[in-house]
C-alpha cells in the first residue's frame, strides 16, 4: 500500500513540533509490512488571507492519484481530493477559530473571512470527502465539533524525540517557541515572585523573544538559551527539576509528554488545553490557575520538595506508557483500508 503523508511547508518555519510529527508519522507507517509511506510537501503561506486562499486551491488541485491513500494533517492540506483520504488533524487555522477574538480586528471583513474558512474546512472534513477524521487530542476534537459540527476520534501522538532519560533535579526548564500563545511571560512573572535560588532555563526562539528578554532583565536566575539541538534538549530535560508549560488552549503540546518521559513533573494551567488533560493534578505535576502567583507557588514547592518532584516524574512516565506511534499507525491504516 502506497501512502502520501501530506506535509504543510510554511515559509521560514524551522524544525518544530509539526516537522517532528511528519517524520515520526512516516517512520511509523513504513514500519508496517507492506506499507510504503512518502512525505509530500504542500507549500502553505499564511501571511495574508489571499495566500491562505491560494493554499486551499493548491491542495484542491494537487494530483495524488498515484497513491492508494492520502493522510492529511492540517489546513489547507485536508482540502485534497482523493477517494481514500484520511485526516489526522493537528489543528485548523486557529486565527479563524478559538484565537479569532485575540488576533483579528473583529470587523465585518474579518468576520466574513472567518466564516469562509470555517465553511471550507467543514466541507473538506465531512464524509465522503474525508473517510475518517482523527485528532491529536480532546482540545482539537472539542473545537472541531463546536465550530464545524464534525466529530472525530482522539488518537494521541507519541514521542518523536529519542534518548529522553532521567538525570538530576536542578532547575526549572521551559522549552518551545517564544510566542504569546505559549505564555512564557506568565512563567517569567512567576519567577519575580519566587523567593528561592531556583534557576529558569528557557530554550527556543520566536516572535516575542525580545519582549520576553526585556521582561526578565535584571533577574540573573533566568537564562535564555536560544535554539538548541535535539541532543542539548534531551540533556536539558534530563537535568530539570520541573517543566512549567502554560500555553493558552494548546492543541497538544509535545512538552507535556516529553517531560514525563524524562521523569520530570509538569506545571500547567487550567486553561492550557490538552496539557491540562495530560497532567494529573497532584500526581504527575500541578494544574493551577493561570496567574504568576499560582505558578510561583508550585515552583517553590518543587524547589523545597525534590523527592515529590521525583515521585511525580515517575508517575508521569507511567501515565504516558500507552501513548505510542505504533498505535497511531495501526489506527490510520485500519481507517484507510476499511
Amino acid at each position: 500500500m502506497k501512502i502520501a503523508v501530506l506535509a504543510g511547508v510554511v515559509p521560514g518555519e524551522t524544525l518544530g513540533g509539526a516537522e517532528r510529527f511528519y517524520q515520526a508519522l512516516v517512520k511509523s507507517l513504513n514500519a508496517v509490512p507492506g506499507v510504503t509511506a512518502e512525505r509530500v510537501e504542500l507549500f502553505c503561506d499564511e501571511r495574508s488571507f489571499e495566500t491562505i486562499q491560494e493554499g486551499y486551491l493548491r491542495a484542491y488541485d494537487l494530483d495524488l492519484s498515484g497513491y492508494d491513500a492520502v493522510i492529511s494533517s492540517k489546513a489547507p492540506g485536508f482540502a485534497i481530493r482523493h477517494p481514500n483520504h484520511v485526516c489526522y488533524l493537528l489543528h485548523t487555522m486557529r486565527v479563524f477559530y478559538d484565537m479569532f477574538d485575540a488576533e483579528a480586528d473583529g470587523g465585518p471583513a474579518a468576520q466574513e473571512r472567518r466564516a469562509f474558512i470555517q465553511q471550507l474546512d467543514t466541507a473538506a472534513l465531512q464524509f465522503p470527502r474525508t473517510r475518517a477524521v482523527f485528532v491529536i487530542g480532546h482540545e482539537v476534537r472539542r473545537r472541531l465539533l463546536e465550530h464545524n459540527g464534525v466529530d472525530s476520534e482522539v488518537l494521541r501522538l507519541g514521542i518523536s524525540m529519542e534518548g529522553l532519560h532521567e538525570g538530576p533535579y536542578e532547575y526549572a526548564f521551559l522549552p518551545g517557541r517564544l510566542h504569546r500563545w505559549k505564555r512564557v511571560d506568565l512563567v517569567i512573572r512567576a519567577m519575580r515572585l519566587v523567593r528561592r535560588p531556583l534557576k529558569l532555563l528557557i530554550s527556543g526562539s520566536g516572535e516575542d523573544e525580545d519582549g520576553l528578554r526585556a521582561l526578565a532583565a535584571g533577574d540573573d536566575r533566568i537564562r535564555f538559551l536560544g535554539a538548541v539541538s535535539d541532543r542539548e534538549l534531551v540533556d536539558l530535560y534530563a537535568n530539570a527539576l520541573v517543566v512549567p508549560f502554560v500555553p493558552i488552549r494548546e492543541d497538544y503540546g509535545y512538552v507535556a509528554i516529553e517531560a514525563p518521559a524524562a521523569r520530570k513533573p509538569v506545571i500547567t494551567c487550567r486553561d492550557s488545553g490538552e496539557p491540562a488533560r495530560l497532567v494529573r493534578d497532584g500526581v504527575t505535576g500541578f494544574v493551577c490557575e493561570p496567574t504568576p502567583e499560582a505558578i510561583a507557588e508550585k515552583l517553590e514547592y518543587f524547589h523545597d520538595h525534590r523527592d515529590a518532584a521525583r515521585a511525580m516524574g515517575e508517575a508521569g512516565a507511567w501515565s504516558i506508557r500507552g501513548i505510542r506511534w505504533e498505535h497511531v499507525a495501526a489506527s490510520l491504516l485500519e481507517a484507510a483500508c476499511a
Side-chain angles (χ1 to χ4, degrees):
M1 188 179 197
K2 189 176 180 182
I3 300 176
V5 174
L6 200 53
V9 177
V10 180
E13 188 173 65
T14 57
L15 179 65
E19 183 63 24
R20 297 183 193 283
F21 166 84
Y22 295 128
Q23 292 176 355
L25 178 56
V26 170
K27 181 180 179 180
S28 65
L29 290 168
N30 280 325
V32 178
V35 173
T36 300
E38 297 176 353
R39 170 182 167 139
V40 177
E41 293 188 348
L42 175 68
F43 180 73
C44 309
D45 189 344
E46 300 179 10
R47 289 176 290 188
S48 73
F49 186 68
E50 289 71 28
T51 57
I52 288 172
Q53 289 178 299
E54 291 170 4
Y56 276 90
L57 287 172
R58 197 175 295 115
Y60 186 79
D61 290 336
L62 187 60
D63 181 9
L64 295 179
S65 58
Y67 293 89
D68 300 308
V70 175
I71 297 174
S72 67
S73 60
K74 57 190 295 189
F78 49 64
I80 189 74
R81 289 180 293 169
H82 192 279
N84 195 11
H85 169 218
V86 173
C87 182
Y88 184 25
L89 187 63
L90 293 171
H91 56 77
T92 48
M93 292 186 186
R94 293 183 64 189
V95 292
F96 299 110
Y97 286 86
D98 64 308
M99 299 305 292
F100 177 79
D101 291 336
E103 299 295 330
D105 59 22
Q111 297 282 352
E112 289 178 8
R113 290 193 290 267
R114 177 176 66 169
F116 177 77
I117 292 298
Q118 290 190 10
Q119 288 168 6
L120 277 181
D121 292 350
T122 301
L125 290 169
Q126 286 182 334
F127 185 86
R129 284 292 307 277
T130 302
R131 292 188 62 181
V133 179
F134 297 88
V135 292
I136 59 174
H138 294 277
E139 181 71 13
V140 180
R141 179 178 183 267
R142 179 199 60 76
R143 197 182 303 150
L144 194 62
L145 194 58
E146 176 183 335
H147 293 280
N148 307 94
V150 175
D151 204 358
S152 55
E153 181 178 340
V154 174
L155 188 59
R156 282 177 168 159
L157 50 86
I159 295 171
S160 356
M161 184 174 296
E162 298 179 352
L164 289 165
H165 64 280
E166 181 185 9
Y169 291 69
E170 298 178 351
Y171 46 75
F173 175 50
L174 199 167
R177 183 180 170 194
L178 303 184
H179 184 274
R180 57 191 173 278
W181 295 357
K182 304 300 182 181
R183 298 196 300 198
V184 176
D185 63 301
L186 260 184
V187 182
I188 293 175
R189 294 180 195 280
M191 284 294 295
R192 295 291 195 187
L193 304 175
V194 170
R195 303 305 178 206
R196 305 288 191 279
L198 176 67
K199 292 182 179 180
L200 171 65
L201 304 187
I202 302 173
S203 73
S205 59
E207 302 89 326
D208 296 330
E209 182 173 352
D210 290 344
L212 293 169
R213 285 180 177 272
L215 183 63
D219 192 333
D220 58 9
R221 297 172 303 168
I222 303 174
R223 181 182 169 197
F224 288 82
L225 306 177
V228 298
S229 68
D230 281 0
R231 178 175 292 183
E232 291 172 316
L233 188 55
V234 166
D235 289 340
L236 286 163
Y237 271 126
N239 299 328
L241 167 67
V242 59
V243 176
F245 183 55
V246 297
I248 178 71
R249 296 190 293 276
E250 181 76 14
D251 303 311
Y252 189 71
Y254 275 112
V255 174
I257 59 171
E258 288 172 347
R263 289 171 167 74
K264 307 300 176 178
V266 177
I267 298 171
T268 193
C269 294
R270 300 191 189 284
D271 62 351
S272 287
E274 203 64 19
R277 295 179 174 91
L278 288 163
V279 176
R280 296 175 59 195
D281 188 34
V283 178
T284 67
F286 289 114
V287 182
C288 63
E289 295 300 324
T291 65
E293 292 79 8
I295 296 167
E297 178 186 342
K298 301 310 180 186
L299 289 170
E300 289 188 340
Y301 174 86
F302 284 119
H303 178 274
D304 297 343
H305 300 86
R306 294 179 187 254
D307 288 343
R310 184 173 288 103
M312 288 188 186
E314 291 288 344
W318 178 257
S319 73
I320 64 168
R321 68 193 184 284
I323 304 176
R324 295 288 181 267
W325 274 106
E326 294 86 351
H327 175 60
V328 171
S331 298
L332 295 175
L333 289 172
E334 182 179 0
C337 295

